[in-house]
């Protein structure tokens, strides 16, 4: 009982905190003319007003550097300084996997931090990227918001200045957050309400849309829209977390009939937090693309990160949700008898093409990857369990990589060349395509003429739309991933149950 | 041309549609529709599988038959929509039948040629009893013309050279007199040809929204193809084997076949509905666009108010008995055949008996005096007219306009009415109030439009005071007073700058620029060729209130599309619960717990889902053809309602349907 209360207190607190934090970050990103701005003027040169291609170009250039440096450090750490434990260099495939993991803010690890990374790797390959990769994500969200607002400079559409955005986010994070070190990925250390950060992040994204626009008074504030999306995310989050918590509170079927059977299912849980917080955490980490764990996921039966839009990863969670919003707008919009429009701009064939492509990506990566690995020895020989559980291990790893989540389903022997290469690639595809496509949509939308709202216009700030959004996310997620989920987690649950 | 067939399924149309639906199975035709094309490929694959599969041939055969039926139902829906369109254009095509034309050569000589040989710019002479060979403009003469072939209206109309009633349509018949017509349309490019081509679907192009939806549907099809294709290797992990018919059955159940099958029919049905309302859209896009209209420009006269001003009150001057004013005005209006004059007589006649004063000489209205009236036999002069004209008349007669009458006239003007001062020799007797009378029920119609989210703008030649008064009474949002064509154009451009989509109706040549500028221009068929060319729809009935129907037809089209898409996707939930456990129950027996519908056997589960998937298409054809009912209740209420009916209904309905089919199949021993 107290456990359940604790869970809800945590949720309520983070939700409450997310609003001021979001507004802080939101303001920070669109601030001009302060001291930091002056510093940036000196370092970066005068402010640029990048178009879609310019902004994405800067993103790719920056991330390529991140990737290159970290790969180099991981691969050659044996001969680089700050290596007191004389740890050897990573094999190229593992270095590739690790570099793409941290560049994409996934933090998926196919190595053990304590024994496989030198101090230099920890600092330059991991610590640095914790800020810069996350900042890239948030910067892109800011760009998305600017695109949707149709922000213009000298009459030309602009998404902002990528480098400046990254610098501002990193600066904000530095002041607020302190150190994040994935090496200490032990449950005990990770139970600090880190998910709070994540949720703040999500709320910050909402905040992006509230930012002041110099352009059109009608676009100035959209708090209603932000609230609906935030509420939809929370509803989805609860939808996933409550059953999971309930399932884990029930006695473990495997020990039925034994003396310990009376209590809740403590198998695999961190005892200081117990089963309620443990499973709540598990849902939080899978849905927020967090990657930290407070219980061994080997003993849980869930898989809710296929969608990666429930709060989602730093910055990109909201970008993913934006795709579902566009889809929901398209269907709901025609249902009220108008051609669909979002935030006053028409959603047409071009936007639908981009959204459809983005939508195809998760099933392609997750299902395609799982199919190949499950059917062949590439994956089948690396699982530690037979039957549905082993299948779940493969499915989970693919999903974790494609969704840039980073958590792992323990027991999978994943440090093999095929696993490293494929999940490494998946992380990159799963990171950048879901940034490029939505940004292109926002850019297209921003260039369209603004349609005034009438009573015949679909409102996206209402309960009905929120419910439809939740329904669309669930339905689409279920339709695409249900068969795979049925084979793994669901079958296992039924078998044990 | 008749109104839309009242019956949805005419036997002759059904037969034609059935025949056509087989023709449409050709892959080239099918490829235009990615969802159904996928379905057709699946049908081919299962048919091949019958021969190859060593296992249950009967099962594979049944799956294959159901798949072919699914594709056939889709073609049938489209063919039926086209057949209904053809039925509506039947009479039009009769009118297009070959005609002979008498072409006037440059030297004045007349030669008889084939109607098809006419080119734009040619001059043809058409006499009474002849059919006009091509669209054109009358350059000489006046004629009464029977346009019933196009409009269905049997009363002949008068068309004459010059002015706003000079255009004629090919296929209509001259009843009297003789005219010279300058041809304006290429052969095959006439109004009739375009109309027929559009309705019959021959030249049908996907509209922008239809295209966007097709992209989404193709994406979903691709995604489900991925799901299905990946399932086979995944199943191998569990040592389960999935046969081709079962996999194809799963795929076809998942891809949005319902909306894929009905999408084309919905679009054609929208055009049909427009045509049934006597509206000819020049493109499918115009119908779709109508749903998006934000601002409607409506002419005051004939649309908002009854054609002419009518007498509504009498205000006697102080000291003048009411009877005297009425008698005088009755006498003064004798012989005044203008609508205003008649309305005065009618209103006065209600209170007063036959004219007490014996009639004299009628003095008609003249531009110089701007007065009309009667000179009685005893020499008394009765006049009525505008206030300044009356004042001049009084002064000449040695009288004066009393201050009270002037005040009363002014207050009438302020109310939006027109004051007529009634004068008897040198004495002003009082004021007749003429005002615009709103059409019956117009305020309610506007309230309906406003609930749809439309801004209504009244266009009038009246002065701003009068216009404001009528605007308020009718409940419009804005008005353009003392409107000139340039002002209309400027107003449209201003609305468009604010991002609004503007619809307007017009008939005259000077309306053409505004019609072209408006996003949705509807020209009256009685209007000029220039107006018709500039518009993207033509109203055959020339009914000025038709804009309202246009908007509703557009909204209905979009709503039907959205509702059926949602329904189609929501259907998948139940199909999953039927098929997925059935697929793997052999390898993973525990999955039987997911079979919430308690279906008879895996085979019957898959077949039930597949048959439901096929049968839902013809079941929804009536809805696709009639359209989802549009209610002007605002977007939120509409969304709530449609989500409840088509979203939630779409989730629930197949659970019931599949269970029933399964019971039936099990009883049959499947």
């Amino acid at each position: 009982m107290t456990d359940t209360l604790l869970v809800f207190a945590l949720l309520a607190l983070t939700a409450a905190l997310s609003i001021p934090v979001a507004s802080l970050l939101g303001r920070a990103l669109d601030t001009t003319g302060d001291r930091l701005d002056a510093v940036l003027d000196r370092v970066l040169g005068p402010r640029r007003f990048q178009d879609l291609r310019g902004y994405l170009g800067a993103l790719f250039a920056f991330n390529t550097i991140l990737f290159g440096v970290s790969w180099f450090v991981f691969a050659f750490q044996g001969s680089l300084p700050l290596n007191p434990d004389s740890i050897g260099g990573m094999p190229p495939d593992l270095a590739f996997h690790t570099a793409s993991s941290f560049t994409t803010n996934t933090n998926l690890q196919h190595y053990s931090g304590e024994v496989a990374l030198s101090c230099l790797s920890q600092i330059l390959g991991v610590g640095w990227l914790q800020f810069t990769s996350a900042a890239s994500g948030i910067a892109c969200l800011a760009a998305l918001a600017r695109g949707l607002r149709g922000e213009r400079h000298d009459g030309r559409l602009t998404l902002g200045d990528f480098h400046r955005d990254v610098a501002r986010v990193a600066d904000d994070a530095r002041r607020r957050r302190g150190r994040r070190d994935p090496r200490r990925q032990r449950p005990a250390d990770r139970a600090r309400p880190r998910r709070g950060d994540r949720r703040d992040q999500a709320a910050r994204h909402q905040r992006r849309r509230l930012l002041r626009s110099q352009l059109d008074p009608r676009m100035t504030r959209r708090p209603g829209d932000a609230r609906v999306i935030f509420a939809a995310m929370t509803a989805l989050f609860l939808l996933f977390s409550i059953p999971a918590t309930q399932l884990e509170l029930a006695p473990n079927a495997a020990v039925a009939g034994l003396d310990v059977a009376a209590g809740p299912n403590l198998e695999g849980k961190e005892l200081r937090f117990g089963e309620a917080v443990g499973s709540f955490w598990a849902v939080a980490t899978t849905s927020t693309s967090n990657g930290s764990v407070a219980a061994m996921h080997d003993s849980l039966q869930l898989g809710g990160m296929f969608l990666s839009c429930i709060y989602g990863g730093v910055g990109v969670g909201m970008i993913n949700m934006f795709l579902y919003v566009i889809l929901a707008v398209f269907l709901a919009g025609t249902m009220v008898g108008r051609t669909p429009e979002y935030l006053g701009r028409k959603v047409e064939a071009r936007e639908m093409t981009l959204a459809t492509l983005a939508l195809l990506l998760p099933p392609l990566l997750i299902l395609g990857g799982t199919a190949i690995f499950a059917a062949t020895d590439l994956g089948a020989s690396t699982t530690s369990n037979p039957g549905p559980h082993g299948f779940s291990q493969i499915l989970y790893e693919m999903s974790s990589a494609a969704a840039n989540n980073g958590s792992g389903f323990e027991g999978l022997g994943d440090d093999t060349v095929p696993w490293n290469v494929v999940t490494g690639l998946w992380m990159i595809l799963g990171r950048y395509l879901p940034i490029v496509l939505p940004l292109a949509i926002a850019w297209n939308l921003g260039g369209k003429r603004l349609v005034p709202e009438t009573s015949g216009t679909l409102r996206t700030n209402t309960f009905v739309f929120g419910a439809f959004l939740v329904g669309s996310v669930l339905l689409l997620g279920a339709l695409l991933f249900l068969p795979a989920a049925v084979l793994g987690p669901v079958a296992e649950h039924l078998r044990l149950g | 041309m008749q109104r839309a067939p009242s019956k949805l399924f005419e036997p002759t149309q059904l037969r034609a549609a059935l025949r056509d639906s087989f023709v449409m199975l050709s892959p080239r035709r099918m490829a235009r529709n990615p969802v159904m094309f996928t379905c057709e490929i699946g049908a081919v694959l299962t048919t091949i599988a019958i021969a190859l599969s060593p296992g249950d041939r009967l099962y594979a055969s049944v799956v294959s038959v159901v798949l072919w039926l699914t594709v056939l139902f889709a073609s049938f829906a489209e063919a039926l929509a086209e057949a209904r369109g053809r039925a509506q254009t039947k009479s039009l095509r009769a009118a297009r039948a070959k005609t002979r034309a008498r072409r006037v050569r440059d030297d004045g000589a007349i030669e008889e040629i084939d109607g098809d040989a006419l080119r734009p710019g040619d001059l043809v002479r058409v006499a009474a009893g002849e059919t006009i060979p091509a669209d054109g403009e009358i350059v000489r003469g006046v004629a009464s013309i029977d346009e019933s072939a196009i409009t269905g209206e049997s009363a002949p109309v008068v068309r004459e050279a010059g002015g706003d009633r000079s255009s004629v349509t090919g296929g209509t018949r001259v009843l009297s007199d003789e005219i010279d017509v300058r041809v304006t349309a290429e052969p095959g490019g006439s109004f009739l040809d375009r109309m027929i081509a559009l309705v019959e679907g021959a030249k049908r192009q996907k509209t922008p929204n239809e295209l966007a939806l097709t992209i989404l549907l193709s994406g979903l099809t691709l995604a489900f193809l991925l799901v299905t294709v990946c399932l086979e290797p995944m199943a191998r992990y569990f040592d389960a084997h999935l046969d081709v018919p079962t996999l194809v059955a799963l795929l076809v159940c998942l891809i949005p076949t319902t909306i894929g099958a009905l999408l084309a029919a919905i679009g054609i049905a929208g055009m049909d509905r427009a045509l049934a309302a006597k509206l000819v859209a020049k493109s499918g896009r115009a119908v779709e666009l109508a749903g998006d209209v934000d601002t409607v420009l409506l002419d005051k006269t004939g649309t908002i108010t009854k054609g002419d001003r009518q007498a509504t009150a009498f205000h006697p001057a102080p000291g003048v008995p009411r009877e005297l004013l009425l008698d005088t005005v009755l006498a003064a209006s004798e012989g005044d055949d203008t609508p205003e004059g008649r309305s005065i007589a009618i209103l006065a006649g209600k209170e007063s008996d036959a004219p007490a004063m014996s009639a004299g000489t009628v003095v008609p209205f003249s531009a110089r005096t701007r007065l009309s009236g009667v000179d009685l036999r005893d020499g008394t002069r009765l006049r009525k007219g505008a206030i300044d004209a009356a004042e001049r008349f009084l002064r000449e007669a040695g009288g004066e306009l009393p201050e009270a009458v002037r005040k009363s006239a002014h207050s009438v003007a302020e109310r939006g009415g027109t004051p007529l001062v009634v004068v008897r020799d040198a004495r002003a007797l009082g004021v007749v109030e003429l005002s615009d009378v709103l059409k019956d029920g117009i305020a309610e119609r506007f309230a309906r439009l406003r609930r749809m989210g439309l801004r209504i703008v009244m266009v009038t030649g009246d002065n701003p005071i009068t216009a404001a008064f009528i605007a308020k009474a009718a409940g419009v949002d804005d008005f353009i007073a003392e409107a000139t064509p340039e002002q209309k154009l400027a107003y449209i451009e201003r609305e468009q700058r604010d991002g609004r989509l503007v619809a307007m109706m017009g008939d005259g040549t000077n309306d053409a620029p505004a019609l072209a500028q408006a996003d949705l221009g509807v020209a009256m068929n009685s209007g000029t060729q220039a107006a018709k060319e500039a518009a993207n729809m033509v109203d055959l009935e020339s009914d000025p209130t038709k804009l309202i129907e246009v908007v509703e037809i557009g909204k209905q089209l979009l709503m039907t599309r959205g509702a059926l898409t949602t329904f189609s996707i929501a259907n998948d939930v139940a199909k999953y619960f039927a098929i997925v456990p059935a697929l793997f129950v052999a390898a993973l027996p525990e999955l039987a717990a997911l079979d919430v519908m308690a279906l008879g056997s895996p085979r019957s589960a898959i077949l039930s889902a597949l048959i439901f998937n096929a049968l839902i298409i013809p079941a929804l054809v009536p809805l696709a053809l009639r359209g989802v009912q549009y209610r002007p209740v605002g977007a939120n209420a509409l969304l709530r309602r449609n989500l409840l009916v088509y979203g939630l209904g779409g989730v629930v309905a197949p659970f019931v349907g599949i269970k029933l089919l399964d019971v039936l199949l099990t009883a049959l021993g499947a």
Side-chain angles (χ1 to χ4, degrees):
Chain A
M1 189 60 216
T2 42
D3 277 354
T4 317
L5 276 180
L6 182 63
V7 166
F8 279 102
L10 269 174
L11 186 64
L13 191 69
T14 42
L17 276 176
S18 62
I19 293 157
V21 173
S23 72
L24 267 177
L25 189 79
R27 228 168 294 149
L29 264 163
D30 273 3
T31 304
T32 51
D34 62 348
R35 249 193 20 231
L36 181 61
D37 217 36
V39 175
L40 292 176
D41 278 343
R42 234 171 299 136
V43 181
L44 298 172
R47 178 179 288 271
R48 272 165 296 181
F49 297 92
Q50 289 163 324
D51 60 3
L52 177 68
R53 196 167 291 193
Y55 201 92
L56 289 176
L59 167 77
F60 286 133
F62 182 66
N63 280 243
T64 307
I65 294 171
L66 296 186
F67 179 86
V69 169
S70 55
W71 186 86
F72 179 81
V73 171
F74 292 139
F76 297 101
Q77 59 182 355
S79 8
L80 290 170
L82 284 177
N83 187 8
D85 299 332
S86 309
I87 296 169
M90 278 189 183
D93 59 301
L94 183 60
F96 167 74
H97 180 269
T98 310
S100 66
S101 171
F102 288 105
T103 309
T104 59
N105 199 29
T106 308
N107 304 355
L108 190 64
Q109 289 150 306
H110 283 177
Y111 62 92
S112 304
E114 291 85 347
V115 294
L117 290 185
S118 72
C119 289
L120 184 74
S121 293
Q122 293 281 10
I123 296 165
L124 209 57
V126 176
W128 180 48
L129 293 185
Q130 291 300 319
F131 290 101
T132 46
S133 66
S136 302
I138 296 181
C140 289
L141 184 62
L144 184 86
R146 294 191 190 112
L148 285 179
R149 284 204 307 250
E151 212 156 279
R152 279 171 173 79
H153 178 73
D154 281 348
R156 283 172 48 199
L157 219 56
T158 176
L159 293 181
D161 182 340
F162 175 76
H163 295 120
R164 228 164 254 265
D165 288 340
V166 168
R168 285 212 167 264
V169 176
D171 177 67
D172 192 60
R174 175 185 59 77
R175 279 184 290 172
R176 284 195 321 101
R177 197 188 287 160
R179 214 161 68 98
R180 280 175 65 188
D181 182 358
R183 184 178 59 162
R184 297 190 297 161
Q185 201 155 22
R186 268 174 263 135
D189 296 323
R190 277 323 186 83
R192 278 183 296 117
R194 267 273 311 286
R195 97 200 61 127
D197 285 4
R198 300 299 168 150
R199 201 124 350 105
D200 299 345
Q201 228 74 260
R204 267 180 235 154
H205 314 338
Q206 323 271 326
R207 187 63 204 173
R208 317 250 29 71
R209 296 242 304 285
L210 314 187
L211 296 181
R212 202 171 53 80
S213 158
Q214 300 90 330
L215 263 164
D216 193 313
R218 282 172 300 186
M219 292 297 294
T220 315
R221 292 181 78 82
R222 291 263 180 187
D225 281 85
R227 245 176 263 139
V228 163
I229 294 180
F230 189 62
M233 286 176 166
T234 307
L236 283 164
F237 180 76
L238 289 176
L239 225 55
F240 280 109
S241 63
I242 290 175
T245 313
Q246 287 309 312
L247 277 179
E248 295 301 325
L249 282 173
N252 188 339
V255 293
L258 302 179
D259 283 347
V260 292
N265 182 6
L266 279 175
E267 197 261 337
K269 308 291 189 305
E270 164 64 41
L271 278 178
R272 276 174 297 169
F273 308 113
E275 58 295 321
V277 179
S279 46
F280 175 72
W281 182 261
V283 177
T285 192
T286 43
S287 37
T288 60
S289 168
N290 181 316
S292 54
V293 284
M296 301 308 265
H297 286 190
D298 195 23
S299 58
L300 299 175
Q301 297 133 7
L302 48 89
M305 62 187 159
F306 301 120
L307 309 168
S308 67
C309 64
I310 308 165
Y311 301 133
V314 184
V316 291
M318 179 62 208
I319 299 184
N320 271 316
M321 190 51 136
F322 169 68
L323 285 174
Y324 286 94
V325 171
I326 289 292
L327 271 184
V329 159
F330 186 79
L331 287 181
T334 42
M335 262 195 289
V336 301
R338 283 175 72 91
T339 58
E341 55 214 354
Y342 183 53
L343 301 180
R345 295 188 155 99
K346 290 275 175 214
V347 179
E348 289 163 309
R350 227 188 140 102
E351 289 75 44
M352 285 322 285
T353 312
L354 294 165
T356 305
L357 281 178
L359 223 77
L360 277 172
L361 188 71
L364 183 68
L365 297 184
I366 296 175
L367 299 179
T370 306
I372 294 168
F373 274 63
T376 62
D377 262 355
L378 294 179
S381 63
T382 58
T383 60
S384 62
N385 297 67
H389 196 84
F391 181 79
S392 297
Q393 289 177 332
I394 298 174
L395 181 64
Y396 196 103
E397 186 71 13
M398 285 293 172
S399 312
S400 183
N404 288 170
N405 180 286
S407 64
F409 213 62
E410 282 74 5
L412 185 70
D414 48 19
D415 185 15
T416 64
V417 175
W419 269 120
N420 284 337
V421 171
V422 169
T423 52
L425 269 176
W426 266 207
M427 284 186 284
I428 291 172
L429 290 174
R431 168 74 167 180
Y432 296 106
L433 284 179
I435 286 178
V436 170
L437 296 169
L439 271 187
I441 296 176
W443 175 260
N444 270 334
L445 287 177
K448 296 189 183 191
R449 91 183 171 178
L450 211 50
V451 182
E453 262 183 33
T454 70
S455 64
T457 311
L458 170 78
R459 297 288 152 105
T460 45
N461 57 1
T462 60
F463 173 80
V464 181
F465 181 75
F468 185 60
L469 181 61
V470 170
S472 317
V473 171
L474 279 180
L475 192 70
L476 218 62
L479 292 181
L480 293 178
F481 297 109
L482 195 75
V486 159
L487 289 179
V490 178
E492 187 180 357
H493 171 73
L494 292 171
R495 181 173 283 184
L496 293 175
Chain B
M1 190 181 62
Q2 286 106 43
R3 281 267 169 190
S6 50
K7 263 165 63 187
L8 206 49
F9 300 112
E10 296 274 343
T12 48
Q13 291 173 20
L14 281 178
R15 268 195 300 277
L18 216 54
R19 198 181 49 237
D20 288 350
S21 48
F22 282 95
V23 178
M24 287 185 189
L25 289 182
S26 94
R28 193 178 302 167
R29 175 96 199 231
M30 242 346 151
R32 280 173 51 186
N33 182 343
V35 181
M36 294 324 292
F37 191 50
T38 309
C39 192
E40 188 172 32
I41 293 174
V44 172
L45 277 180
T46 47
T47 311
I48 297 171
I50 299 174
L52 300 182
S53 79
D56 193 344
R57 289 236 164 99
L58 176 69
Y59 167 70
S61 314
V62 176
V63 169
S64 167
V65 167
V66 179
L67 287 175
W68 280 114
L69 276 179
T70 311
V71 187
L72 209 58
F73 286 153
S75 316
F76 175 72
E78 189 175 346
L80 184 62
E82 284 183 6
R84 279 161 59 83
R86 263 203 304 278
Q88 293 202 45
T89 51
K90 200 170 170 187
S91 53
L92 297 181
R93 252 172 311 141
R96 201 178 51 171
K98 276 210 159 82
T99 47
R100 300 288 289 170
R102 283 190 294 149
R103 185 162 67 181
V104 184
R105 283 215 305 255
D106 291 341
D107 56 12
I110 286 178
E111 57 180 351
E112 190 155 320
I113 59 164
D114 213 23
D116 287 345
L118 288 171
R119 291 286 175 277
D122 284 352
L123 198 63
V124 288
R125 182 155 299 166
V126 193
E130 290 178 343
T131 301
I132 298 172
D135 290 6
E137 197 110 24
I138 303 179
V139 291
R140 184 190 65 83
V142 183
S144 65
I145 293 171
D146 171 16
E147 292 191 339
S148 60
I150 297 182
T151 61
E153 180 66 54
S154 53
V157 293
V158 175
R159 294 278 184 261
E160 58 189 325
D164 286 348
R165 297 179 162 269
S166 60
S167 81
V168 288
T169 311
T172 56
R173 219 156 50 83
V174 175
L175 293 178
S176 71
D177 306 295
E178 189 183 72
I179 46 175
D180 281 355
V181 175
R182 176 84 62 197
V183 176
T184 53
E186 292 280 351
S190 78
F191 190 54
L192 271 174
D193 293 318
R194 272 184 293 179
M195 196 154 126
I196 293 167
L198 266 169
V199 174
E200 292 186 348
K203 259 170 77 182
R204 226 178 75 81
Q205 279 183 325
K206 286 198 173 79
T207 59
N209 176 261
E210 201 177 352
L211 191 68
L213 184 56
T214 307
I215 290 167
L216 175 66
L217 295 179
S218 312
L220 284 173
T221 305
L222 216 59
F224 288 125
L225 190 64
L226 248 157
V227 170
T228 319
V229 167
C230 290
L231 213 52
E232 210 277 333
M234 286 185 196
R236 256 188 254 159
Y237 181 88
F238 298 92
D239 295 321
H241 177 69
L242 300 173
D243 52 7
V244 172
T246 304
L247 277 174
V248 173
L250 173 66
L251 174 66
V252 170
C253 279
L254 291 182
I255 61 177
T257 44
T258 314
I259 181 66
L262 297 175
L263 192 56
I266 293 170
I268 298 170
M271 302 278 296
D272 286 356
R273 272 198 299 279
L275 193 60
K278 304 287 183 198
L279 281 160
V280 180
K282 290 201 188 156
S283 70
R285 187 166 181 272
V287 180
E288 188 177 286
L289 206 63
D292 278 354
V293 165
D294 297 298
T295 304
V296 237
L297 262 57
L298 294 174
D299 276 328
K300 185 201 78 176
T301 307
T303 310
I304 298 173
T305 60
K306 291 183 179 160
D308 307 288
R309 310 202 128 202
Q310 298 182 354
T312 49
F314 298 106
H315 307 283
V320 175
R322 191 175 171 82
E323 290 74 42
L324 179 62
L325 175 64
L326 290 177
D327 287 349
T328 309
V329 91
L330 256 178
S333 300
E334 203 171 322
D336 181 355
D337 267 345
T338 63
E340 287 90 351
R342 272 198 307 256
S343 80
I344 292 172
I346 289 167
L347 189 70
K350 278 183 191 158
E351 289 183 45
S352 170
D353 294 330
M357 288 162 243
S358 54
T361 328
V362 173
V363 180
F365 180 87
S366 82
R368 197 183 54 80
T369 61
R370 293 196 292 131
L371 290 168
S372 68
V374 167
D375 288 343
L376 297 183
R377 286 211 187 104
D378 61 4
T380 314
R381 294 186 298 167
L382 310 179
R383 294 288 183 275
K384 59 185 183 3
I387 186 162
D388 51 336
E391 200 171 358
R392 204 176 53 232
F393 181 81
L394 281 168
R395 219 173 285 134
E396 280 167 14
E400 210 176 307
L401 186 72
E403 205 45 41
V405 173
R406 187 190 301 277
K407 244 188 208 147
S408 149
H410 276 302
S411 77
V412 166
E414 268 160 37
R415 280 197 296 273
T418 308
L420 285 185
V421 177
V422 182
V423 179
R424 188 189 178 102
D425 285 334
R427 189 180 174 203
L429 297 181
V431 175
V432 179
E433 181 169 352
L434 293 176
S435 38
D436 274 314
V437 179
L438 294 182
K439 279 194 159 178
D440 299 328
I442 198 75
E444 290 81 65
R445 281 201 102 166
F446 285 166
R448 187 180 160 91
L449 280 174
R450 195 149 326 96
R451 279 198 299 275
M452 286 156 71
L454 264 67
R455 246 168 72 83
I456 306 145
V457 180
M458 181 180 85
V459 181
T460 172
D462 291 342
N463 65 61
I465 296 172
T466 310
F469 186 81
I470 299 165
K472 194 161 166 248
V476 301
D477 298 277
D478 197 5
F479 59 87
I480 312 173
E482 290 167 355
T484 61
E486 296 75 42
Q487 266 180 317
K488 267 198 240 183
L489 191 62
Y491 194 93
I492 292 173
E493 282 168 344
R494 198 166 62 241
E495 289 286 299
Q496 288 174 334
R497 258 200 305 283
D498 289 345
R500 295 199 178 86
L501 241 70
V502 184
M504 74 162 279
M505 203 153 179
D507 53 2
T509 299
N510 56 13
D511 280 331
L515 280 171
Q517 178 67 34
D519 301 277
L520 182 70
V522 181
M524 298 195 196
N525 195 45
S526 61
T528 59
Q529 199 65 35
K532 285 201 249 179
E533 286 298 326
N536 31 21
M537 274 194 200
V538 176
D539 176 23
L540 299 175
E541 288 177 332
S542 305
D543 170 5
T545 59
K546 201 53 86 54
L547 270 182
I548 299 166
E549 270 174 73
V550 175
V551 174
E552 289 196 359
I553 290 170
K555 286 194 180 292
Q556 204 180 18
L557 170 69
L558 286 165
M559 268 174 53
T560 310
R561 221 179 256 160
L564 287 182
T565 307
T566 307
F567 185 85
S568 184
I569 298 173
N571 267 203
D572 281 4
V573 177
K575 293 180 201 157
Y576 255 140
F577 273 102
I579 296 185
V580 171
L583 284 181
F584 295 108
V585 86
L588 299 164
E590 56 270 20
L591 287 181
L594 286 182
D595 178 18
V596 290
M597 284 179 275
L599 301 176
S601 70
R603 283 275 151 93
S604 81
I606 293 170
L607 286 179
S608 305
L610 197 61
I611 293 173
F612 177 85
N613 189 57
L615 288 182
I616 196 75
I617 296 172
L620 289 176
V621 162
L623 184 67
L625 294 186
R626 281 215 186 97
V628 171
Q629 204 191 343
Y630 178 77
R631 288 155 210 261
V633 287
N636 278 333
L638 259 186
L639 180 63
R640 201 175 316 128
R641 197 194 125 78
N642 284 337
L643 274 184
L644 219 59
V645 176
Y646 300 99
L648 206 61
V651 173
V652 175
F655 276 104
V656 180
I658 291 174
K659 178 68 192 171
L660 286 178
L661 283 168
D662 176 74
V663 170
L664 203 70
L665 282 179
T666 312
L668 289 174

